[in-house]
């Protein structure tokens, strides 16, 4: 889980690379650093644009592969919201609220997954539960009220 990692933690990055058999490249390091502590649920394009500021030669394909590696071992969670793939550095159990106006994704917790798990057992074994609530965030609601009044 990268949300609790510190940017620039060379020892942790080296350990992860060794543990998963990855080469310690500048590209992998830049993506790792970008995601450490990130709670914005970035898209691949957003990660690529940000990493390109420090590594202009990085390709979009490299970012895809690195994020795929990270999600494959559980360092980040791949989410699909409104047909857009995003990456969540917080892999602990939690839910999401997706604003249908600004497309921001917010973390929240407090739902009891047991009823969902129990309801789905008749289909087989549940391995993960992801809940995304769709709505309009407070910021968009306030802007919408101001636009309607103005």
């Amino acid at each position: 889980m990268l949300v609790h990692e510190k940017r620039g933690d060379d020892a942790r990055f080296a350990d992860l690379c060794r543990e998963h058999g990855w080469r310690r490249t500048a590209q992998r390091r830049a993506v790792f650093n970008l995601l450490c502590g990130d709670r914005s649920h970035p898209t691949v394009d957003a990660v690529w644009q940000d990493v390109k500021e420090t590594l202009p030669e990085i390709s979009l394909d490299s970012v895809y592969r690195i994020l795929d590696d990270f999600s494959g071992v559980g360092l980040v969670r791949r989410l699909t919201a409104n047909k857009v793939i995003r990456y969540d550095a917080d892999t602990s159990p939690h839910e999401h609220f997706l604003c249908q106006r600004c497309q921001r994704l917010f973390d929240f917790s407090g739902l009891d997954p047991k009823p969902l798990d129990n309801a789905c057992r008749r289909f087989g074994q549940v391995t993960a539960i992801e809940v995304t609530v769709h709505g309009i965030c407070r910021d968009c609601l306030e802007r919408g009220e101001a636009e309607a009044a103005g």
Side-chain angles (χ1 to χ4, degrees), residues 21-37:
W22 299 330
R23 288 181 38 230
R24 288 172 46 188
T25 64
Q27 294 87 351
R28 190 178 307 279
R29 174 63 182 192
V31 173
F32 173 85
N33 275 338
L34 180 77
L35 293 174
C36 285

Side-chain angles (χ1 to χ4, degrees), residues 31 40 48 58-59 65 74 77 82 86 90 103 109 120 148:
V31 173
S40 69
W48 180 52
I58 193 167
S59 69
R65 281 195 309 274
R77 188 162 71 175
N82 279 0
R86 297 167 181 243
D90 182 357
Q103 301 302 304
S109 59
C120 293

Side-chain angles (χ1 to χ4, degrees), residues 95-106:
E95 297 78 35
H96 293 95
F97 179 93
L98 175 67
C99 179
Q100 294 172 288
R101 287 193 187 159
C102 68
Q103 301 302 304
R104 283 189 298 168
L105 201 56
F106 301 90

Side-chain angles (χ1 to χ4, degrees), residues 4 31 33 49 59 61-63 86 105 125 137 147:
H4 297 299
V31 173
N33 275 338
Q49 292 298 328
S59 69
D61 190 51
S62 290
V63 174
R86 297 167 181 243
L105 201 56
Q125 180 181 2
C137 72
E147 290 169 10

